[in-house]
Amino acid sequence: MKSNEIIKINTIEDYTERLGCPSANHPLISINRLTEVKDYVPIGSPVQLNLYSITIKDGSTCNAKYG
């Protein structure tokens, strides 16, 4: 893969397969701990996520509210 080639991730399935995460139990939602990721996308390669991603750092205090 060229370093300037954009890695496109369009679905949750693409995301879990590309990063080596366990397969998702639901096609629209997946919760992954990045410390358990086996095959992370190479550093410096551009990635286009065509889905929503929420990232929370371990040890941070997070009081998330929705609605």
Side-chain angles (χ1 to χ4, degrees):
M1 176 180 298
K2 297 178 186 176
S3 63
N4 61 352
E5 183 179 342
I6 297 174
I7 299 169
K8 295 182 181 181
I9 299 177
N10 295 313
T11 65
I12 297 293
E13 185 178 4
D14 288 347
Y15 183 88
T16 57
E17 286 178 7
R18 176 74 66 158
L19 298 181
C21 299
S23 59
N25 293 331
H26 191 279
L28 299 177
I29 298 172
S30 179
I31 299 173
N32 299 296
R33 186 174 286 276
L34 292 180
T35 56
E36 298 172 1
V37 171
K38 298 175 188 157
D39 301 316
Y40 195 70
V41 176
I43 295 173
S45 296
V47 177
Q48 178 180 345
L49 286 177
N50 293 325
L51 47 92
Y52 288 103
S53 174
I54 299 172
T55 306
I56 301 173
K57 185 176 180 179
D58 276 344
S60 65
T61 306
C62 180
N63 296 322
K65 294 181 181 180
Y66 180 78

